[in-house]
């Protein structure tokens, strides 16, 4: 059967089918006389399976591993689910930030300033640790706690995004007082400055640390 008929029977366009051939997800037979592709029912079944898995957002690489028996179906599903959960967290953070922008009807990132992102949930252990950190930090220029950015921080928007992601993951209340590459924030009602620093082991590995500020600073 020709590729046009395959399109009709699978609902997959010809360009996508050819791409699947290029990455060896499906390998149709070739006519010995004219070297044309000749698809059969097995190719149709495989394309429908690929279509189903792609609709589940399974990556091409994972599908190929599955079809070549490099991994089990359960492993492929678990791997895809883990990736989607990570994407979900990032998407939810992006949605929060986009809602701030659209509500302010602005084309700049200034609306991030003075906005509160409250992800705090009552948790006595977390609150106890935070209190200990805050007490000790008053006598130190830089706090001994912070977080590693998920992505590189190259702009004010990157920094704000990472702070919001951190606050959400840690269930903390975050208020952006001043957006910059040294943003002023309130974290669980404590006035702080976020600082992008390097780790002790390598200058290339960045970490965000927090400096406690006094109200008049």
């Amino acid at each position: 059967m020709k590729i046009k008929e395959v399109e009709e029977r699978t609902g997959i366009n010809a360009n996508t089918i050819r791409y699947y051939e290029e990455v060896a997800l499906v390998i149709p037979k070739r006519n010995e006389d004219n070297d044309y592709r000749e698809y059969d029912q097995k190719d149709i079944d495989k394309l429908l399976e690929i279509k189903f898995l792609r609709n589940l957002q399974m990556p091409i690489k994972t599908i190929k591993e599955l079809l070549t028996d490099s991994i089990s179906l359960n492993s492929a599903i678990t791997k895809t689910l883990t990736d989607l959960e990570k994407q979900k967290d990032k998407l939810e953070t992006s949605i929060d930030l986009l809602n701030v922008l659209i509500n302010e009807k602005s084309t700049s990132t200034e609306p991030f300033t003075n906005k509160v992102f409250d992800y705090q949930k009552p948790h006595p252990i977390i609150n106890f640790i935070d209190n200990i950190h805050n007490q000790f930090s008053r006598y130190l220029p830089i706090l001994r706690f912070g977080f590693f950015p998920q992505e590189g921080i190259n702009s004010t928007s990157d920094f704000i995004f990472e702070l919001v992601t951190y606050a959400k993951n840690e269930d903390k209340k975050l208020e952006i007082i001043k957006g910059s590459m040294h943003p002023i924030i309130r974290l669980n009602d404590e006035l702080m400055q976020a600082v992008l620093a390097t780790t002790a082991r390598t200058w290339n590995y960045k970490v965000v640390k927090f400096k406690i500020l006094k109200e008049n600073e």
Side-chain angles (χ1 to χ4, degrees):
M1 103 186 43
K2 306 301 182 187
I3 195 167
K4 184 173 181 60
E5 185 178 349
V6 176
E7 280 188 293
E8 294 172 353
R9 294 184 59 178
T10 64
I12 304 173
N13 67 56
N15 289 335
T16 302
I17 294 172
R18 292 192 181 98
Y19 171 70
Y20 291 160
E21 292 175 22
E22 289 178 9
V23 296
L25 286 180
V26 60
I27 307 174
K29 295 178 181 178
R30 293 277 184 170
N31 187 301
E32 294 180 359
D33 296 328
N34 53 29
D35 199 38
Y36 287 173
R37 299 175 179 86
E38 291 188 347
Y39 301 89
D40 57 22
Q41 187 58 47
K42 288 184 179 179
D43 296 321
I44 296 292
D45 293 341
K46 183 171 287 188
L47 285 168
L48 289 173
E49 181 180 4
I50 294 168
K51 181 180 179 180
F52 172 74
L53 295 173
R54 289 297 292 145
N55 285 337
L56 295 178
Q57 305 302 311
M58 186 173 289
I60 294 293
K61 181 180 178 181
T62 305
I63 293 175
K64 187 172 183 179
E65 291 173 338
L66 177 62
L67 295 180
T68 57
D69 295 323
S70 298
I71 59 175
S72 67
L73 176 59
N74 186 64
S75 297
I77 292 172
T78 301
K79 184 177 180 180
T80 303
L81 186 59
T82 300
D83 290 341
L84 289 175
E85 289 290 347
K86 292 179 181 178
Q87 293 177 35
K88 178 184 175 183
D89 290 340
K90 289 186 177 181
L91 286 172
E92 287 178 348
T93 300
S94 296
I95 288 170
D96 288 340
L97 298 178
L98 288 169
N99 279 328
V100 171
L101 287 171
I102 199 169
N103 288 336
E104 294 290 336
K105 298 180 180 179
S106 173
T107 57
S108 74
T109 56
E110 282 302 311
F112 290 128
T113 304
N114 296 323
K115 295 299 174 184
V116 178
F117 302 87
D118 192 352
Y119 300 112
Q120 190 175 21
K121 297 177 183 177
H123 195 302
I125 295 178
I126 291 177
N127 290 340
F128 172 76
I129 294 174
D130 279 344
N131 288 335
I132 294 297
H133 278 152
N134 290 338
Q135 290 300 319
F136 278 103
S137 69
R138 295 178 186 281
Y139 304 98
L140 298 172
I142 300 294
L143 290 184
R144 297 187 183 277
F145 72 97
F147 66 93
F148 293 105
Q150 295 184 10
E151 306 289 345
I153 296 180
N154 300 307
S155 66
T156 299
S157 297
D158 290 342
F159 214 146
I160 299 302
F161 182 87
E162 291 291 345
L163 288 169
V164 173
T165 300
Y166 166 76
K168 182 175 182 179
N169 291 341
E170 298 296 323
D171 295 324
K172 296 180 184 292
K173 183 172 71 174
L174 171 68
E175 180 181 359
I176 307 298
I177 304 299
K178 179 182 179 182
S180 71
M181 289 303 287
H182 302 284
I184 306 299
I185 64 174
R186 287 187 189 276
L187 193 61
N188 284 0
D189 297 321
E190 189 76 38
L191 186 65
M192 302 180 182
Q193 182 174 34
V195 180
L196 185 61
T198 55
T199 61
R201 294 185 179 181
T202 170
W203 291 101
N204 296 322
Y205 205 35
K206 299 293 185 179
V207 60
V208 174
K209 292 191 175 183
F210 300 109
K211 177 181 178 182
I212 295 291
L213 298 177
K214 296 179 181 179
E215 291 294 335
N216 58 356
E217 287 185 337

